Amino acid sequence: MTSGRSFYITTPIYYPSDVPHIGHGYTTVAVDALARWHRQAGDDTWMLTGTDEHGQKMLRAAAANGATPQEWVDRLVAESWFPLLKTLDVANDDFIRTTQPRHEERVRQFVQAIHDRGYIYAGEFEALYCVGCEEFKTESEIVDGTGAFEGLKVCAIHSKPLELLQEKNYFFKLSEFTEPLLKLYAENPDFIRPESARNEVVSFVKQGLKDLSISRSTFDWGIKVPWDETHVIYVWVDALLNYATAVGFGSDPEEFARRWPAYHVVGKDILRFHAVIWPAMLMAAGVEVPRGVFAHGWLLVGGEKMSKSKLTGIAPTEITDVFGSDAYRFYFLSAIAFGQDGSFSWEDLSARYQAELANGFGNLASRTTAMIARYREGIVPPAGEETDGDRVIRETVANAVERADAAIERFRLDEAIAAIWTIVDALNLYITENEPWVLAKDEGLRSRLDTVLYTAAEGLRALAVLLSPIMPIATEKLWVGLGAAESLGRLQDQALRDAGRWGQLRPGTSVNALAPLFPRVEQPGDGQPGAAKA
Ligand code: MSP
């Protein structure tokens, strides 16, 4: 079943010089969950992620490690960035690297095109640059250094000294796009989400935009400016174009028409690049602007934005090795309101794993399949007459599907999961209230027990479908446990928006032994790897 609707979604492309940490993993799993949801709903979905490999930061890191920049990025991408996708069970459709010829050639073509359309000129430039951000800094983004950097001007984000750069540069006439951008934001209130992000960008652009330096001549690790090979293209211009070059911009018009425009999900730190510079670049080239930009918040550890340079970095494997990738995905996507900052702690992760996953969802699945095995020889019974209590479950499921899908339209993964969790809670309550173990003792209540077992199993069928974009591994185990794979086909082929249609799990289906969905883990403090960091 396909809706015919195109849904193209991207993560930022990551700087491979950093080792992946849970902040990168957060963006990636959010985009993956959104893509999986749309794919399973039948939308013509494409998910892109990748790496941002040019620029001064990379050049310096390579030199410090005695490698050429290409050798250096090849190694980092192979050793750290491809494995991250496996660690987190990400089903991306493509992975772009900005050093690939498919990208470099089209970037030159794009920059040449906006040059030919009169949006680029040569000028002199002098400003303070942060290599960590790969960005020139304005007054408000510069603070006085402390400690070893006392007396120096440092970047407010990286707390490292800025460099005074003075060179001849090519400039993009960004200032000409102040009005067109304000019009874009006014006409498309959803272009930037959430609202707080939108307000921030609108007030920034209202102050008027300055032209943007888009080339560098003091180093050569980048894509050469087509009309002046002594310059390389500014790394952000190069990087933003990945979203277009990956889907055939300039090389495959049919593919580009099918996919473009995209939705971009980014951390709020890089919102302006995506919501201001990027649409302006596209307008200058006469290409459609993105469908929208969603800015999520920061993961905070100990109250600070987590980052490798501030030594608060946590590798995703530290979490997945203990709790598994499903728990990683569930935890970050459910515990943090998507769009706001969220604090990470091992205690919170561990408590939610225990309460919501192991005791809530996992236990519901294991006791339901175990009761079908014990009381009905492993065969899902047919439901008898429906009571009010059974109807409540059926309605809760239908309602949850609608609410979750509406939340996903707003990119609110946390709200979607909360809506789906009403099914988990309702079913656990339903089992407690109906006491199937009591019904099982009375042959006269046989039909009632059938109904209760069917209702619980059918509710779990819906849960497996709805939660598969969030927790692909546990839901697959559940799907097999319910015996649904034989009668209904593959889990990822179940139409998501149809998940609330009651009665899909067929009576007569044989359930299978259920592999534990969320195995017991030692609590922090028990000497687990996580414990030391808590
Ligand atoms: N290479 C640029 C992006 C270019 S996109 C055309 C870049 N890369 S990055 O490696 O620094 O990663 C940026 C993204 O990682 C952020 O936008 C955000 O999505 C994610 N995060 C990095 N640290 C984070 C947190 N502490 N918390 C949440 N997300 C964070 O910028």
Side-chain angles (χ1 to χ4, degrees):
M1 191 203 72
T2 56
S3 67
R5 186 177 127 180
S6 170
F7 183 80
Y8 171 34
I9 188 164
T10 68
T11 72
I13 50 171
Y14 303 100
Y15 291 129
S17 54
D18 286 341
V19 179
H21 59 56
I22 54 174
H24 306 123
Y26 178 50
T27 315
T28 306
V29 297
V31 170
D32 182 52
L34 291 164
R36 283 178 184 263
W37 185 281
H38 282 271
R39 200 178 288 127
Q40 208 178 319
D43 298 339
D44 185 17
T45 302
W46 196 254
M47 174 191 162
L48 176 70
T49 186
T51 41
D52 184 356
E53 306 186 358
H54 291 125
Q56 213 162 346
K57 196 202 300 242
M58 218 61 61
L59 184 64
R60 287 188 187 172
N65 285 277
T68 67
Q70 191 66 59
E71 284 166 1
W72 179 239
V73 292
D74 285 351
R75 204 163 89 204
L76 294 169
V77 170
E79 286 176 2
S80 302
W81 289 90
F82 285 152
L84 174 71
L85 301 171
K86 265 209 149 61
T87 300
L88 300 176
D89 278 294
V90 174
N92 54 307
D93 295 291
D94 194 4
F95 188 102
I96 190 161
R97 302 182 53 188
T98 53
T99 52
Q100 289 167 335
R102 65 164 170 166
H103 176 71
E104 296 190 338
E105 285 161 25
R106 305 304 158 203
V107 169
R108 284 162 66 88
Q109 183 183 327
F110 182 95
V111 172
Q112 183 70 55
I114 57 174
H115 177 260
D116 295 347
R117 291 165 72 108
Y119 289 107
I120 291 181
Y121 64 94
E124 284 291 329
F125 197 54
E126 183 185 285
L128 289 167
Y129 193 82
C130 170
V131 177
C133 295
E134 293 280 15
E135 190 184 12
F136 285 105
K137 293 285 157 180
T138 57
E139 202 104 307
S140 63
E141 299 162 317
I142 300 173
V143 296
D144 290 324
T146 54
F149 303 131
E150 187 91 48
L152 295 172
K153 294 287 177 199
V154 303
C155 164
I157 295 173
H158 288 87
S159 310
K160 295 230 176 95
L162 297 157
E163 299 176 21
L164 184 69
L165 295 183
Q166 209 172 10
E167 28 176 327
K168 177 194 150 194
N169 278 172
Y170 290 100
F171 285 82
F172 169 53
K173 292 185 183 168
L174 183 60
S175 58
E176 290 195 6
F177 293 91
T178 304
E179 288 311 318
L181 285 168
L182 290 172
K183 186 161 173 269
L184 169 70
Y185 309 145
E187 286 172 0
N188 302 279
D190 283 346
F191 182 74
I192 303 167
R193 282 182 285 186
E195 211 185 325
S196 52
R198 175 189 144 78
N199 293 341
E200 191 236 282
V201 170
V202 170
S203 56
F204 171 73
V205 174
K206 273 192 177 150
Q207 294 165 25
L209 296 167
K210 291 206 185 78
D211 289 347
L212 177 75
S213 158
I214 58 142
S215 75
R216 303 292 306 278
S217 61
T218 50
F219 65 92
D220 66 355
W221 179 236
I223 303 174
K224 291 201 163 42
V225 169
W227 62 90
D228 180 352
E229 302 231 324
T230 63
H231 283 241
V232 293
I233 295 166
Y234 173 42
V235 64
W236 267 101
V237 168
D238 164 355
L240 288 163
L241 278 162
N242 89 87
Y243 304 129
T245 60
V247 289
F249 170 78
S251 63
D252 186 345
E254 222 171 282
E255 180 68 3
F256 190 65
R258 176 176 174 186
R259 304 290 175 207
W260 194 256
Y263 284 106
H264 303 304
V265 174
V266 301
K268 64 182 182 183
D269 47 337
I270 56 171
L271 172 63
R272 285 186 198 171
F273 289 102
H274 287 81
V276 180
I277 298 175
W278 178 224
M281 284 166 57
L282 290 164
M283 285 175 183
V287 178
E288 222 180 317
V289 298
R291 280 220 160 90
V293 180
F294 191 98
H296 66 69
W298 284 342
L299 295 188
L300 309 174
V301 176
E304 259 199 69
K305 181 192 177 204
M306 197 214 40
S307 79
K308 197 192 112 195
S309 51
K310 291 194 173 157
L311 299 176
T312 47
I314 299 168
T317 47
E318 289 180 59
I319 292 177
T320 56
D321 287 351
V322 179
F323 296 93
S325 61
D326 278 346
Y328 183 107
R329 299 168 61 101
F330 173 80
Y331 173 70
F332 287 109
L333 301 181
S334 65
I336 302 170
F338 202 51
Q340 291 171 28
D341 291 350
S343 292
F344 169 81
S345 77
W346 289 97
E347 287 84 353
D348 189 34
L349 164 63
S350 177
R352 285 176 193 263
Y353 180 86
Q354 203 49 45
E356 290 164 36
L357 294 180
N359 298 344
F361 179 37
N363 191 31
L364 170 67
S366 64
R367 57 181 179 156
T368 301
T369 49
M371 286 190 291
I372 293 172
R374 186 172 329 131
Y375 305 137
R376 292 297 178 261
E377 280 145 7
I379 308 291
V380 175
E385 205 176 316
E386 186 181 74
T387 65
D388 282 353
D390 312 329
R391 200 191 64 242
V392 167
I393 296 296
R394 185 163 55 79
E395 288 172 356
T396 302
V397 171
N399 200 350
V401 177
E402 252 177 56
R403 282 171 49 211
D405 194 44
I408 294 285
E409 283 298 312
R410 290 179 275 111
F411 287 67
R412 288 299 301 268
L413 287 152
D414 54 308
E415 289 181 358
I417 297 172
I420 298 167
W421 227 255
T422 60
I423 306 176
V424 174
D425 293 339
L427 280 176
N428 273 322
L429 183 66
Y430 176 82
I431 291 177
T432 307
E433 287 181 350
N434 282 279
E435 299 181 304
W437 45 90
V438 175
L439 300 176
K441 291 188 184 130
D442 185 343
E443 199 41 39
L445 295 172
R446 189 170 178 86
S447 164
R448 184 63 207 142
L449 178 59
D450 282 352
T451 307
V452 171
L453 293 177
Y454 182 81
T455 303
E458 172 63 354
L460 278 172
R461 189 271 315 153
L463 275 176
V465 174
L466 292 167
L467 288 171
S468 68
I470 312 293
M471 296 187 279
I473 296 183
T475 51
E476 180 58 35
K477 286 184 193 163
L478 175 56
W479 198 244
V480 171
L482 286 173
E486 292 88 37
S487 60
L488 296 177
R490 299 190 318 168
L491 176 58
Q492 67 264 43
D493 294 339
Q494 305 303 305
L496 225 152
R497 293 185 185 118
D498 191 39
R501 187 166 49 79
W502 196 254
Q504 295 183 48
L505 187 67
R506 292 194 202 124
T509 298
S510 302
V511 300
N512 300 304
L514 186 69
L517 303 190
F518 305 102
R520 199 186 128 65
V521 297
E522 302 300 318
Q523 296 301 300
D526 291 356
Q528 279 297 306
K533 312 269 167 152

